[in-house]
Amino acid sequence: MNASAQHPPAVRTTCAYCGVGCGVLAKPDGRGGAAISGDPEHPANFGRLCSKGSALGETLALETRLLHPMRRGADGAMARTSWDDALDTVASGFADAIAKHGPDSVAFYLSGQLLTEDYYVANKLMKGFVGSANVDTNSRLCMASSVAGHRRAFGSDSVPGSYADLDEADLIVLVGSNAAWCHPVLYQRMLANKRARGAKIVVIDPRRTATVEDDDLHLPVAPGMDTALFSGLLVHLADTLTLDYDYLAAHTTGFTEALVRAREIAPDLTATAAATGVDAADIARFFALFRGTKNVVTCYSQGVNQSAQGTDKVNAIINCHLATGRIGKPGMGPFSLTGQPNAMGGREVGGLANQLAAHMGFDADAIDRVGRFWRAPNMAQREGLKAVQLFDAIGRGEIKALWIMATNPAVSLPRAGFVQEALKKLDLLVISENVISNDTVAAGAHLLLPAAAWGEKDGTVTNSERRISRQRAFLPLPDDAKPDWWIVSQVAQRMGFAEAFAYHSAAEIFREHAALSAFENDGTRDFDIGALATLSDGSYHALDPVQWPAPDGAPLADSRFFADGAYYTPDRKARLIAPAVPTLHEAPSPAFPLVLNTGRIRDQWHTMTRTGLSPRLGAHLPEPFVEVHPDDAAAYGLLDGGFARISTRYGACVLKVMISTGQQRGTLFAPIHWSGETATDARIGALVAPITDPHSGQPEAKATPAAIAPVDYALRGFALTRGTLQLPAESWWAKVAVRGGAAALIASNAPVTEWRAQAAALFGDGLELAEYLDEPRHSYRAAAFEDGRLIGCLFVGPAEAAPQWDAVKALFEAEALPAPQRRAVLSGRSTDGLADTGPTVCACFGVGLHTIRDAITSGAAVSVEAIGKSLRAGTNCGSCLPELRKIVAGTKVVVAA
């Protein structure tokens, strides 16, 4: 059990999820769990948490954890082994591959979930001692285009502004960002500015997302055409003489070339409208807002970055801010909303294959400098393979040994089926993980190394505004689990590099990382945290959130970059970049006439290895789905709530259909979260094209040509059990977290009699079994009891009248049921005592649709504000507020006389 001392104090730490970097108070309960709340003193969130952060306490159990080193035996089975054996095997395996095939035959694939200290040690080992730059990260999939855009424009990967700019902006432009769902804490900060100061919000997104519900203007730009829109804006600013000519002359170069190219792409309003597919009047309104508003912050995220033209999109945005001098000052500037909790920390240490360390590249001076600092015998001399390239090389047999840490590339990478098969070709596949099973592990790991998880880790992370925060342990390490930095250091020592990797604590590593940032840094490098290089262990443990740069000798303070120029280029001037003419890398065709867009949903994260453990997070959108415009649904014979097969050149999957007017005609949207572990046929990464941006190497996840066709299932239903959930391979299912057991939603074409036989296998023997079978109506229901407790249920029925599980799920989660409730289980309804709250709307407080509608129709709460006061829904992260507004608008209200 992952238990600590009784009633310990709350620990200040940082959230495990997105790049907002929210402060968390974790109060261990002494039984291996913890009460979670927002830290009111943390400057990233001031106490607010999103639904995912609020549910972190539900993800701390050990049932799914990897707790001991595991090694694959001659029979192919994984068996427990000792740390010494595992570490010796990793070290000798990598050493053998290097000796036989050279240093570029090995690679690390890291993660934005790692702490900075973990990242630093892994990067140092590969680039300084192995002698290869084949160390990349899943951050390549989320923010590499932003890095490349920053470096092209600023000469460094510098985020100019800070979150405080969202409070002072008069115009906030959100590009390719569903911030209401993906960065809800920051989005609520934007809305607070809108309410208090009248700030305007413009959303640029092909989809009408939840973020659009509170905006002032929505521009549904055609897929891939963001560059055209911002090129049109630059032309407009030039034609209306709205440029800051003094700033351009003093602090930039390349304006003429950038403007010439912008005129080629979007010479006027009509051409911009034609290229983007947006109504000309709406574009004119956006241009006027930008032209007439000095304080403008342009926030962009995955809709910009995850593109084969992502870097150009970033630079087209930055061009407009440079041309108007709206950068580095309060309330203005371009702002990348980062996806992962420590993608920024990974960028700082050099965790990308095209970076060396501490924001230095692979120029001769940098290689020499870092080599001397590390006293490294075998410095990498050139960039390594970026993520998609890396796995292509694995598939060709060029990479012999791979170490994956804290990520699941067999789900998240493009062409995921190819990735999973490529992994099987490796001579040595090492995976550091905290879960015992996922799609990548299933690809044939030779060694599994149990890594510390959130709540056990101790180190630092850096958020989107350059703020370094401590992630502190509040639970002991369970069984054999170890920090990633310790694991890598032990392997390095066994490879003969003991002196350089004799670390005893995360604090020691952080001091070295900080010292490297300041080493021979005369102000020509942006990343400098030299002021933190001499922290004592105690000071490191107590470190408050601090924003970089923090050079030695300067007071620690929040800061912005570039208000007065001083860019990190050789001439200290920014570069306006002439982007390529935007075009989809692969256009739709008769075989694949639609465009597939992928992304996140409100309550899940990455591949659900953590959020998938939380019952409340699984309740809002429990099944993998595809969003389709009504016209496309009609054209392809799709029904809302039915199923469809989505296919591309690279793979196919079957998803539930959600018809939405918010979806553009000719496009599809599907979430990235489901895997082979959590659903039968919903790994959307398998469909995504392996096309990458030529500058950043980031793959195109937003515009893969696709086809869609209906899939018919005669039966729909669900299963709940206290034991292991085993379902027929030929049926469609999606697992959903529930309290006290396991659950799945089901679709099938098997006759109900086969499902009756399945019940026995599902529940086992020796239980009291209540059954209902109506073969002519294709309905079967079973409930298993033991000593008055509901042990399991299996409900299947005709697809057009599928059994609903909300009430039954509530009965299942109860400890014991009185006789009337037991008799009512097969009806699918609750009798007195347990209310059917309906599908979850507010995940933070578990408020269901039926509860909300009852409050509205009774007159108890007839507005969103009243719902918040009465039921608390919408009062925490606010990400359910758009849905609440729709419910209020669409529900008939009965007010008592």
Side-chain angles (χ1 to χ4, degrees):
M1 187 181 207
N2 195 352
S4 55
Q6 291 290 322
H7 308 299
V11 174
R12 280 195 157 87
T13 185
T14 309
C15 183
Y17 295 120
C18 79
V20 175
C22 294
V24 170
L25 295 178
K27 186 173 177 57
D29 60 12
R31 301 185 300 276
I36 301 297
S37 60
D39 183 351
E41 297 181 13
H42 198 290
N45 61 315
F46 299 107
R48 190 185 288 273
L49 290 179
C50 74
S51 60
K52 294 181 288 291
S54 299
L56 276 165
E58 297 182 7
T59 69
L60 300 174
L62 301 180
E63 286 81 359
T64 62
R65 288 288 299 279
L66 174 66
L67 298 173
H68 309 283
M70 307 284 284
R71 182 176 181 177
R72 187 171 301 281
D75 61 354
M78 299 299 291
R80 180 174 172 176
T81 190
S82 68
W83 265 118
D84 279 339
D85 177 64
L87 295 167
D88 287 344
T89 303
V90 176
S92 62
F94 271 77
D96 288 348
I98 294 165
K100 292 177 182 176
H101 306 286
D104 286 334
S105 69
V106 301
F108 292 168
Y109 189 62
L110 310 180
S111 166
Q113 307 291 298
L114 293 173
L115 303 185
T116 297
E117 294 77 5
D118 305 324
Y119 251 131
Y120 180 86
V121 176
N123 189 62
K124 177 181 175 180
L125 173 58
M126 182 60 78
K127 290 176 181 167
F129 293 80
V130 170
S132 172
N134 285 344
V135 50
D136 212 49
T137 165
N138 64 5
S139 299
R140 181 71 59 191
L141 311 183
C142 74
M143 35 48 62
S145 293
S146 185
V147 174
H150 287 163
R151 292 174 72 180
R152 287 208 296 177
F154 309 146
S156 60
D157 179 20
S158 309
V159 175
S162 64
Y163 294 163
D165 294 323
L166 301 175
D167 306 328
E168 300 182 58
D170 295 312
L171 174 62
I172 298 171
V173 183
L174 289 162
V175 192
S177 169
N178 185 9
W181 277 19
C182 299
H183 297 95
V185 170
L186 288 185
Y187 186 64
Q188 291 305 309
R189 195 162 177 170
M190 299 174 201
L191 292 185
N193 181 5
K194 179 180 172 71
R195 290 190 296 269
R197 300 179 61 256
K200 302 291 186 183
I201 298 176
V202 175
V203 177
I204 300 168
D205 196 309
R207 302 169 61 222
R208 186 176 182 85
T209 66
T211 305
V212 177
E213 300 302 319
D214 290 295
D215 74 347
D216 296 282
L217 177 64
H218 174 217
L219 304 181
V221 64
M225 291 298 112
D226 308 80
T227 298
L229 180 65
F230 282 90
S231 294
L233 175 59
L234 184 63
V235 170
H236 173 80
L237 295 171
D239 289 348
T240 55
L241 305 179
T242 319
L243 305 177
D244 187 331
Y245 297 99
D246 291 339
Y247 192 91
L248 280 169
H251 303 303
T252 76
T253 64
F255 171 71
T256 299
E257 295 84 349
L259 182 59
V260 168
R261 180 58 54 79
R263 291 194 188 280
E264 292 176 10
I265 295 169
D268 53 34
L269 184 64
T270 301
T272 306
T276 61
V278 178
D279 185 80
D282 287 338
I283 293 177
R285 186 179 170 202
F286 168 54
F287 286 1
L289 280 170
F290 198 103
R291 181 186 71 240
T293 309
K294 182 179 180 181
N295 284 15
V296 181
V297 174
T298 304
C299 299
Y300 61 91
S301 194
Q302 309 309 347
V304 168
N305 291 329
Q306 290 181 333
S307 168
Q309 304 90 32
T311 305
D312 277 350
K313 292 180 182 181
V314 170
N315 285 116
I317 292 168
I318 292 174
N319 283 350
C320 295
H321 281 271
L322 290 174
T324 53
R326 297 170 182 173
I327 187 168
K329 302 169 188 174
M332 60 182 75
F335 203 119
S336 166
L337 299 181
T338 311
Q340 296 195 80
N342 203 31
M344 289 283 283
R347 289 149 69 170
E348 292 158 12
V349 305
L352 292 163
N354 54 320
Q355 297 178 335
L356 182 55
H359 280 203
M360 287 179 272
F362 284 90
D363 59 276
D365 288 344
I367 293 170
D368 174 69
R369 181 184 304 116
V370 175
R372 285 186 287 108
F373 181 87
W374 281 343
R375 298 180 182 177
N378 194 20
M379 286 294 296
Q381 299 297 308
R382 61 184 182 277
E383 295 182 2
L385 296 173
K386 299 166 187 171
V388 174
Q389 296 173 309
L390 174 62
F391 283 86
D392 283 345
I394 293 170
R396 293 191 300 267
E398 297 168 8
I399 302 293
K400 305 298 182 181
L402 176 68
W403 191 345
I404 296 172
M405 302 180 201
T407 186
N408 194 3
V411 179
S412 58
L413 275 170
R415 204 178 34 170
F418 165 85
V419 170
Q420 197 167 39
E421 291 304 310
L423 291 172
K424 297 175 183 178
K425 299 180 180 180
L426 289 161
D427 294 341
L428 179 63
L429 174 57
V430 181
I431 301 177
S432 294
E433 254 299 353
N434 53 51
V435 297
I436 198 166
S437 179
N438 62 30
D439 290 37
T440 303
V441 170
H446 298 99
L447 282 157
L448 298 178
L449 307 179
W454 184 84
E456 305 148 11
K457 291 183 177 186
D458 186 78
T460 58
V461 294
T462 305
N463 73 358
S464 295
E465 63 165 351
R466 297 175 277 110
R467 193 174 302 279
I468 299 168
S469 297
R470 290 278 281 110
Q471 199 175 98
R472 296 181 174 92
F474 55 88
L475 295 172
L477 288 167
D479 293 326
D480 287 336
K482 297 289 185 182
D484 288 284
W485 66 260
W486 181 90
I487 300 170
V488 177
S489 297
Q490 289 292 313
V491 169
Q493 291 175 28
R494 284 163 168 80
M495 293 179 72
F497 312 124
E499 184 178 353
F501 292 87
Y503 301 117
H504 296 94
S505 68
E508 188 177 355
I509 300 165
F510 182 82
R511 286 191 289 268
E512 182 178 317
H513 164 56
L516 175 57
S517 76
F519 183 59
E520 298 179 356
N521 190 346
D522 57 1
T524 58
R525 305 201 309 268
D526 65 330
F527 180 63
D528 185 346
I529 54 171
L532 307 178
T534 57
L535 289 176
S536 66
D537 286 1
S539 297
Y540 174 81
H541 180 73
L543 183 66
D544 288 329
V546 57
Q547 196 175 45
W548 65 262
D552 189 26
L556 299 180
D558 290 357
S559 61
R560 295 178 176 87
F561 280 110
F562 310 138
D564 298 316
Y567 291 91
Y568 293 93
T569 55
D571 61 4
R572 306 294 278 181
K573 292 186 176 184
R575 307 288 192 258
L576 282 87
I577 302 297
V581 176
T583 181
L584 292 181
H585 192 278
E586 187 177 356
S589 66
F592 300 107
L594 305 170
V595 175
L596 173 64
N597 177 10
T598 69
R600 294 175 176 166
I601 59 173
R602 191 187 79 185
D603 295 338
Q604 296 297 348
W605 175 254
H606 283 200
T607 62
M608 295 169 61
T609 52
R610 177 180 295 278
T611 52
L613 302 176
S614 167
R616 62 169 137 162
L617 295 181
H620 181 238
L621 291 169
E623 296 166 289
F625 64 89
V626 58
E627 276 192 0
V628 188
H629 188 274
D631 292 351
D632 292 325
Y636 294 102
L638 307 176
L639 298 176
D640 192 38
F643 288 85
R645 179 177 301 278
I646 300 90
S647 57
T648 71
R649 288 175 50 201
Y650 310 99
C653 62
V654 176
L655 305 174
K656 187 177 179 180
V657 174
M658 293 178 61
I659 296 177
S660 170
T661 55
Q663 193 66 28
Q664 259 191 39
R665 292 175 181 84
T667 68
L668 308 171
F669 172 81
I672 62 173
H673 307 292
W674 279 268
S675 68
E677 293 273 311
T678 52
T680 44
D681 200 7
R683 190 173 51 162
I684 202 68
L687 280 65
V688 174
I691 306 303
T692 59
D693 179 283
H695 305 285
S696 69
Q698 183 156 356
E700 172 67 84
K702 301 294 184 181
T704 301
I708 193 167
V711 173
D712 294 324
Y713 289 110
L715 301 180
R716 297 284 301 277
F718 59 85
L720 295 151
T721 179
R722 306 286 176 192
T724 302
L725 190 62
Q726 296 180 336
L727 295 167
E730 61 273 14
S731 295
W732 185 97
W733 51 261
K735 293 181 181 177
V736 185
V738 294
R739 290 177 179 84
L745 295 165
I746 301 164
S748 175
N749 284 317
V752 291
T753 51
E754 288 189 18
W755 282 103
R756 187 179 192 187
Q758 183 67 27
L762 191 63
F763 305 134
D765 300 325
L767 300 176
E768 175 191 349
L769 186 66
E771 292 183 288
Y772 168 81
L773 174 64
D774 187 340
E775 203 167 341
R777 290 186 173 85
H778 308 289
S779 181
Y780 173 73
R781 299 182 179 191
F785 299 92
E786 185 177 48
D787 298 328
R789 189 182 188 208
L790 182 58
I791 298 300
C793 293
L794 177 62
F795 281 42
V796 292
E800 63 273 13
Q804 301 301 302
W805 79 331
D806 296 295
V808 179
K809 187 171 63 167
L811 296 172
F812 178 80
E813 292 176 346
E815 282 302 309
L817 298 177
Q821 289 284 20
R822 292 200 299 273
R823 288 193 293 270
V825 167
L826 293 184
S827 72
R829 295 187 296 271
S830 176
T831 62
D832 54 0
L834 287 173
D836 178 5
T837 62
T840 294
V841 174
C842 174
C844 293
F845 299 114
V847 184
L849 177 63
H850 296 170
T851 303
I852 295 167
R853 283 181 171 164
D854 288 346
I856 295 171
T857 55
S858 70
V862 297
S863 66
V864 171
E865 293 74 18
I867 290 170
K869 290 178 181 178
S870 176
L871 304 175
R872 301 177 71 193
T875 61
N876 183 39
C877 75
S879 59
C880 64
L881 287 171
E883 197 166 347
L884 290 176
R885 293 188 187 95
K886 289 182 179 179
I887 295 168
V888 169
T891 303
K892 183 179 180 181
V893 179
V894 178
V895 180

